Amino acid sequence: MTATLIDGKATAAALRAEMAARVAELTAKGLRPPGLAVVLVGEDPASQVYVASKARQTVEIGMRSFEHKLGAGTPEAELLALIARLNADPAVDGILVQLPLPKHIDADKVIEAIAPEKDVDGFHPVNAGRLATGGRGFVPCTPRGSLRLIKSVRQDLAGLHAVVVGRSNIVGKPMALLLLGESCTVTIAHSKTRDLPAVCRDADILVAAVGRPKLLGAEHVKPGAIVIDVGINRVTDPATGKGKLVGDVDFDAAKAVAGAITPVPGGVGPMTIACLLENTLDSYLIRSGLR
Ligand code: NAD
């Protein structure tokens, strides 16, 4: 058996096209476009790539992008003052501070300074709390995108056993809460879980968010399961000596057992930015009284 490939790249492109049409419709009526502010502190190369691609995709769908690049030595107070200005700026619907931040800055303090109604990353404790209590708030982009991919394969998830490997605040925990919201029976596995293969093998939906190249193989996958690989790991390809990206799942091994599976790259990754834009559009519609 070979699993169905879940094409995150195509799903994300379709979602962006839908949003571009909606934004064009709004601006044609003379309304202002939605705006996303992205703040980068320092010169981390991976963060620079993420920020550039967020800005490019924001503009491509007709939204405004406000980029703020600050030096690595920027004092925490200066960053907090910028966030206060963005909180008060009516043209800004979403604020994203690219993580990780330099060590001298308290990331929790910075996240908590973002107005919850502009926290399109969904990391503010108010939004995390709303997700936990089933209320209306911003859901972190990677889990939101992952759930969309799961639902592209199967709409009704009620009663299915979902296993999420990883318990971070950014991916694992919100993913588990979203699946609980879909009435799945949810297990969160992590570094201290005993007999990980047996736990995973019982999953109808298996989500890997660990950060270990090819940690999960065929022995972790129930025949027919939906496998979502969130992991992005840069490794050296022994055949070419060049760097390449692999997931937390051994794709070739798992696809022989799974019912449907996301590739890396081209799976969850593209969905993350598309869902960031979706959160920004949601924020705009709410703030403009259109929803
Ligand atoms: P993290 O380091 O914060 O959390 C990793 C989790 O994995 C921890 O909860 C830990 O308990 C668990 N873990 C570690 N070793 C384990 C093991 N041997 N067995 C079982 N569990 C183990 O990472 P994160 O921020 O949640 O990111 C996870 C992965 O997802 C990374 O590869 C990251 O690059 C990727 N990621 C991708 C996107 C995307 O857009 N696709 C977004 C965010 C993160």
Side-chain angles (χ1 to χ4, degrees), residues 183-206:
S183 298
C184 290
T185 301
V186 180
T187 301
I188 304 179
H190 46 77
S191 53
K192 301 282 189 287
T193 296
R194 290 187 198 152
D195 200 353
L196 187 66
V199 172
C200 293
R201 239 182 354 254
D202 193 48
D204 303 302
I205 299 168
L206 178 61

Short mmCIF file of all heavy atoms in Angstrom, two decimals, residues 183-206:
data_model
loop_
_atom_site.label_atom_id
_atom_site.label_comp_id
_atom_site.label_asym_id
_atom_site.label_seq_id
_atom_site.Cartn_x
_atom_site.Cartn_y
_atom_site.Cartn_z
N SER A 183 -13.41 16.46 18.80
CA SER A 183 -13.90 15.24 19.47
C SER A 183 -13.06 14.00 19.22
O SER A 183 -13.56 12.87 19.24
CB SER A 183 -15.36 14.95 19.10
OG SER A 183 -16.17 16.02 19.52
N CYS A 184 -11.77 14.20 19.00
CA CYS A 184 -10.85 13.06 18.97
C CYS A 184 -10.55 12.64 20.40
O CYS A 184 -10.69 13.43 21.33
CB CYS A 184 -9.51 13.44 18.31
SG CYS A 184 -9.62 13.74 16.56
N THR A 185 -10.11 11.40 20.57
CA THR A 185 -9.52 10.97 21.84
C THR A 185 -8.04 11.25 21.67
O THR A 185 -7.41 10.74 20.74
CB THR A 185 -9.76 9.46 22.05
OG1 THR A 185 -11.17 9.24 22.04
CG2 THR A 185 -9.16 8.99 23.36
N VAL A 186 -7.49 12.12 22.52
CA VAL A 186 -6.15 12.66 22.25
C VAL A 186 -5.11 12.16 23.25
O VAL A 186 -5.34 12.18 24.46
CB VAL A 186 -6.17 14.21 22.27
CG1 VAL A 186 -4.79 14.77 21.98
CG2 VAL A 186 -7.19 14.75 21.26
N THR A 187 -3.99 11.74 22.73
CA THR A 187 -2.83 11.38 23.56
C THR A 187 -1.69 12.33 23.19
O THR A 187 -1.44 12.54 22.00
CB THR A 187 -2.38 9.93 23.27
OG1 THR A 187 -3.46 9.04 23.54
CG2 THR A 187 -1.17 9.54 24.13
N ILE A 188 -1.04 12.91 24.19
CA ILE A 188 0.17 13.70 23.91
C ILE A 188 1.37 12.87 24.35
O ILE A 188 1.49 12.50 25.52
CB ILE A 188 0.17 15.04 24.68
CG1 ILE A 188 -1.09 15.85 24.35
CG2 ILE A 188 1.42 15.84 24.34
CD1 ILE A 188 -1.18 17.19 25.09
N ALA A 189 2.24 12.55 23.39
CA ALA A 189 3.46 11.81 23.70
C ALA A 189 4.63 12.79 23.69
O ALA A 189 4.56 13.85 23.06
CB ALA A 189 3.67 10.72 22.66
N HIS A 190 5.70 12.47 24.41
CA HIS A 190 6.85 13.37 24.51
C HIS A 190 8.11 12.59 24.84
O HIS A 190 8.10 11.35 24.78
CB HIS A 190 6.56 14.47 25.55
CG HIS A 190 5.98 13.94 26.82
ND1 HIS A 190 6.76 13.32 27.76
CD2 HIS A 190 4.70 13.88 27.25
CE1 HIS A 190 5.98 12.93 28.75
NE2 HIS A 190 4.72 13.25 28.46
N SER A 191 9.15 13.31 25.21
CA SER A 191 10.46 12.67 25.40
C SER A 191 10.47 11.63 26.53
O SER A 191 11.34 10.77 26.56
CB SER A 191 11.52 13.74 25.65
OG SER A 191 11.11 14.57 26.71
N LYS A 192 9.52 11.71 27.44
CA LYS A 192 9.50 10.75 28.56
C LYS A 192 8.47 9.63 28.35
O LYS A 192 8.27 8.80 29.23
CB LYS A 192 9.18 11.48 29.88
CG LYS A 192 10.17 12.59 30.25
CD LYS A 192 11.44 11.98 30.83
CE LYS A 192 12.36 13.03 31.41
NZ LYS A 192 13.02 13.85 30.39
N THR A 193 7.80 9.63 27.22
CA THR A 193 6.79 8.60 26.95
C THR A 193 7.45 7.22 26.85
O THR A 193 8.48 7.07 26.21
CB THR A 193 6.05 8.94 25.62
OG1 THR A 193 5.35 10.16 25.82
CG2 THR A 193 5.08 7.84 25.22
N ARG A 194 6.82 6.23 27.51
CA ARG A 194 7.34 4.86 27.43
C ARG A 194 6.76 4.17 26.20
O ARG A 194 5.58 4.33 25.92
CB ARG A 194 6.93 4.07 28.67
CG ARG A 194 7.65 4.54 29.89
CD ARG A 194 7.34 3.61 31.06
NE ARG A 194 7.68 4.30 32.28
CZ ARG A 194 7.11 4.07 33.45
NH1 ARG A 194 6.15 3.18 33.55
NH2 ARG A 194 7.49 4.74 34.51
N ASP A 195 7.56 3.41 25.54
CA ASP A 195 7.17 2.64 24.36
C ASP A 195 6.44 3.51 23.32
O ASP A 195 5.27 3.29 23.00
CB ASP A 195 6.30 1.43 24.76
CG ASP A 195 6.30 0.37 23.66
OD1 ASP A 195 6.84 0.64 22.57
OD2 ASP A 195 5.73 -0.72 23.90
N LEU A 196 7.16 4.50 22.81
CA LEU A 196 6.60 5.42 21.81
C LEU A 196 6.01 4.70 20.59
O LEU A 196 4.91 5.03 20.15
CB LEU A 196 7.66 6.45 21.40
CG LEU A 196 7.18 7.59 20.50
CD1 LEU A 196 6.19 8.49 21.21
CD2 LEU A 196 8.37 8.42 20.01
N PRO A 197 6.71 3.65 20.06
CA PRO A 197 6.12 2.97 18.88
C PRO A 197 4.73 2.42 19.17
O PRO A 197 3.81 2.57 18.35
CB PRO A 197 7.11 1.85 18.57
CG PRO A 197 8.41 2.32 19.14
CD PRO A 197 8.06 3.13 20.37
N ALA A 198 4.54 1.82 20.35
CA ALA A 198 3.22 1.22 20.66
C ALA A 198 2.15 2.31 20.80
O ALA A 198 1.03 2.14 20.32
CB ALA A 198 3.30 0.40 21.95
N VAL A 199 2.50 3.44 21.42
CA VAL A 199 1.54 4.54 21.58
C VAL A 199 1.15 5.06 20.19
O VAL A 199 -0.02 5.24 19.87
CB VAL A 199 2.14 5.68 22.45
CG1 VAL A 199 1.23 6.90 22.45
CG2 VAL A 199 2.38 5.20 23.87
N CYS A 200 2.15 5.29 19.36
CA CYS A 200 1.89 5.85 18.02
C CYS A 200 1.11 4.88 17.14
O CYS A 200 0.25 5.31 16.36
CB CYS A 200 3.20 6.20 17.33
SG CYS A 200 4.09 7.55 18.13
N ARG A 201 1.41 3.59 17.30
CA ARG A 201 0.77 2.59 16.44
C ARG A 201 -0.73 2.48 16.68
O ARG A 201 -1.46 1.87 15.92
CB ARG A 201 1.42 1.23 16.68
CG ARG A 201 2.02 0.66 15.43
CD ARG A 201 2.65 -0.70 15.57
NE ARG A 201 2.74 -1.30 16.87
CZ ARG A 201 3.87 -1.40 17.57
NH1 ARG A 201 5.00 -0.90 17.11
NH2 ARG A 201 3.87 -2.00 18.74
N ASP A 202 -1.19 3.08 17.77
CA ASP A 202 -2.63 3.05 18.06
C ASP A 202 -3.35 4.28 17.48
O ASP A 202 -4.56 4.45 17.67
CB ASP A 202 -2.84 2.97 19.58
CG ASP A 202 -4.27 2.61 19.93
OD1 ASP A 202 -4.78 1.64 19.31
OD2 ASP A 202 -4.89 3.30 20.74
N ALA A 203 -2.59 5.14 16.79
CA ALA A 203 -3.16 6.42 16.34
C ALA A 203 -3.83 6.31 14.98
O ALA A 203 -3.24 5.82 14.02
CB ALA A 203 -2.05 7.46 16.26
N ASP A 204 -5.08 6.83 14.92
CA ASP A 204 -5.72 7.01 13.61
C ASP A 204 -5.16 8.26 12.95
O ASP A 204 -5.11 8.37 11.73
CB ASP A 204 -7.24 7.18 13.79
CG ASP A 204 -7.85 5.99 14.53
OD1 ASP A 204 -7.69 4.87 14.03
OD2 ASP A 204 -8.45 6.20 15.60
N ILE A 205 -4.79 9.25 13.81
CA ILE A 205 -4.15 10.48 13.33
C ILE A 205 -2.85 10.62 14.12
O ILE A 205 -2.87 10.64 15.36
CB ILE A 205 -5.04 11.71 13.59
CG1 ILE A 205 -6.37 11.59 12.86
CG2 ILE A 205 -4.33 13.00 13.19
CD1 ILE A 205 -7.41 12.62 13.29
N LEU A 206 -1.73 10.70 13.43
CA LEU A 206 -0.44 10.81 14.10
C LEU A 206 0.21 12.13 13.68
O LEU A 206 0.43 12.37 12.49
CB LEU A 206 0.45 9.63 13.69
CG LEU A 206 1.88 9.59 14.24
CD1 LEU A 206 1.88 9.51 15.77
CD2 LEU A 206 2.64 8.37 13.66
#
